[in-house]
């Protein structure tokens, strides 16, 4: 079993829909990242969380440390949100900042 | 957020040649940089951790003599793929950590194609 699991692996939505991507992890962490990667493109860091909730535009990220779970929400989804969303955690035992990555969730938003 | 650049963004080379990829933190000093490799439809695979002024720490299975890493300054790390072969063709991504709160920022990636 992977240390970081994302669900769903693939997601298709209609424009305007509310989207949730989930991330569960099995290690103690000091931080969790949500990353976005467009096809053929580089990676953008959306959020870094260690507790609670963060919001940026239409994106909301939450984390529950006790349950070892995080969610990324996209409100009023748009075709330009189509991308791979990656959850990555930094283990408390890592003194280098090394991240453990989930397998990613491929999101397609149709107009 | 902070900006990390990579150069070149795309490179095509002949088998047997060496290719150097640069990773720069543009507006912050990065004591630690990471080099990743990504195959199509797969997640990032950490190759090595690069610390300024010291030798890089390579992940298991990554050949140190093939993938040379030099972290010459707090804003620059380079990855040199030596004697490249077609199986080295991949997307190479670097990231850099910016001080506290140790947020990690990623470069745009370099697509290497070895003919």
């Amino acid at each position: 079993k992977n240390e970081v699991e994302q669900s769903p692996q693939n997601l298709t939505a209609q424009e305007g829909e509310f989207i949730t991507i989930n991330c569960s992890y099995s290690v103690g962490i000091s931080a969790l990242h949500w990353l976005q990667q467009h096809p053929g493109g580089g990676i953008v860091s959306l959020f870094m969380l260690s507790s609670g909730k963060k919001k940026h535009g239409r994106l909301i990220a939450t984390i529950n440390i006790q349950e070892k779970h995080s969610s990324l929400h996209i409100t009023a989804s748009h075709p330009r949100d189509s991308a791979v969303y990656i959850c990555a955690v930094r283990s408390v035992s890592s003194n280098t900042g090394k991240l453990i990555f989930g397998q990613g969730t491929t999101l397609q938003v149709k107009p | 957020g902070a900006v990390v650049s990579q150069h070149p963004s795309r490179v095509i080379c002949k088998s047997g040649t060496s290719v150097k990829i640069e990773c720069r933190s543009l507006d912050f000093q990065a004591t630690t940089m990471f080099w990743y490799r990504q195959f199509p439809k797969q997640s990032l695979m950490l190759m090595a951790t690069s610390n300024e002024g010291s030798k890089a720490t390579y992940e298991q299975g990554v050949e140190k003599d093939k993938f040379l890493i030099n972290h010459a300054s707090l804003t620059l790390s380079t990855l040199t793929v030596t004697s490249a072969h077609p199986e080295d063709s991949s997307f190479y991504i670097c990231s850099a950590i910016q001080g506290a709160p140790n947020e990690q920022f990623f470069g745009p990636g370099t697509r290497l194609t070895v003919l």
Side-chain angles (χ1 to χ4, degrees):
Chain A
K1 193 176 189 298
N2 294 331
E3 291 172 302
V4 180
E5 295 271 0
Q6 287 183 236
S7 64
Q9 286 191 328
N10 297 283
L11 181 56
T12 301
Q14 288 297 130
E15 184 173 355
E17 285 185 1
F18 180 83
I19 289 164
T20 296
I21 299 171
N22 295 299
C23 175
S24 295
Y25 51 92
S26 57
V27 297
I29 68 167
S30 55
L32 181 145
H33 294 253
W34 279 104
L35 311 170
Q36 179 193 56
Q37 185 174 31
H38 284 282
I43 290 177
V44 174
S45 178
L46 299 175
F47 295 104
M48 186 179 80
L49 292 164
S50 54
S51 65
K53 175 180 174 178
K54 285 190 177 180
K55 183 176 189 293
H56 181 71
R58 294 180 295 106
L59 302 178
I60 303 166
T62 63
I63 188 168
N64 185 318
I65 297 294
Q66 286 73 30
E67 294 186 3
K68 295 187 175 177
H69 181 269
S70 175
S71 293
L72 176 68
H73 306 286
I74 304 175
T75 61
S77 61
H78 191 276
R80 64 175 175 267
D81 297 325
S82 299
V84 177
Y85 291 85
I86 304 168
C87 172
V89 303
R90 188 167 76 232
S91 167
V92 290
S93 61
S94 169
N95 58 1
T96 62
K98 177 178 169 179
L99 296 177
I100 305 169
F101 293 89
Q103 287 301 103
T105 295
T106 301
L107 170 65
Q108 183 183 20
V109 182
K110 295 184 175 179
Chain B
V3 178
V4 175
S5 71
Q6 278 184 245
H7 179 79
S9 58
R10 188 179 293 269
V11 57
I12 300 172
C13 69
K14 292 183 178 179
S15 186
T17 61
S18 293
V19 175
K20 180 186 282 188
I21 303 169
E22 293 186 349
C23 176
R24 293 182 185 272
S25 55
L26 296 184
D27 50 0
F28 65 100
Q29 292 186 327
T31 53
T32 302
M33 290 183 171
F34 299 92
W35 285 98
Y36 300 90
R37 184 173 181 176
Q38 185 181 38
F39 291 106
K41 298 193 185 297
Q42 293 189 23
S43 191
L44 283 77
M45 183 192 80
L46 180 65
M47 299 175 67
T49 303
S50 169
N51 294 296
E52 186 265 338
S54 62
K55 289 184 179 181
T57 303
Y58 289 81
E59 294 299 299
Q60 192 173 7
V62 178
E63 298 176 59
K64 301 178 185 181
D65 295 331
K66 180 158 187 68
F67 299 100
L68 301 178
I69 292 172
N70 186 346
H71 197 148
S73 75
L74 285 171
T75 60
L76 173 65
S77 176
T78 60
L79 167 67
T80 302
V81 183
T82 61
S83 187
H85 289 280
E87 57 264 31
D88 298 324
S89 298
S90 190
F91 193 52
Y92 292 87
I93 303 173
C94 73
S95 71
I97 289 183
Q98 179 190 28
N102 292 327
E103 188 158 1
Q104 193 164 148
F105 297 95
F106 291 80
T110 296
R111 186 160 302 283
L112 169 64
T113 303
V114 184
L115 302 176

